[in-house]
Amino acid sequence: ADPERPWTRDGIAEPALRRRGTHWELIFTGLADQERVLGRASAASLEGPWEVEPEPVLTPRPGTFMDRQVLAPALLEWSGKSLMWFLAASNRDEQLRIGVAVETAPPGR
């Protein structure tokens, strides 16, 4: 839990780890009450130190299949693209769905 980042004030969960170039990247679920968002941290080695980005990398989007929560990431590098699957919850029907986000360039370091 990190009170400096309200979106992780109750902790983090469901980490996904991968090597990106010379760094390690960790995508995780940020927990705050019933809110769920995805955050990112990076480090030069698995031992750290880990630098957590100040804002989530994926948040719920009103009016979509992911308007309540995004959680539980899974990562894959494929054909020069970074793919992230995640679970998404909607207020409309309370069902979980699987979403995918595609990043074509690595994040800035």
Side-chain angles (χ1 to χ4, degrees), residues 10 18 22 34 36 46 48 63 70 94:
D10 294 330
R18 70 175 155 199
T22 61
Q34 294 301 310
R36 301 291 182 267
L46 289 174
V70 291
E94 298 184 11

Side-chain angles (χ1 to χ4, degrees), residues 57-84:
V57 294
L58 188 64
T59 60
R61 303 271 159 74
T64 70
F65 74 99
M66 54 187 244
D67 64 2
R68 185 169 49 129
Q69 296 176 331
V70 291
L71 60 152
L75 305 169
L76 176 69
E77 296 289 325
W78 181 70
S79 196
K81 295 179 182 167
S82 177
L83 305 172
M84 177 179 65

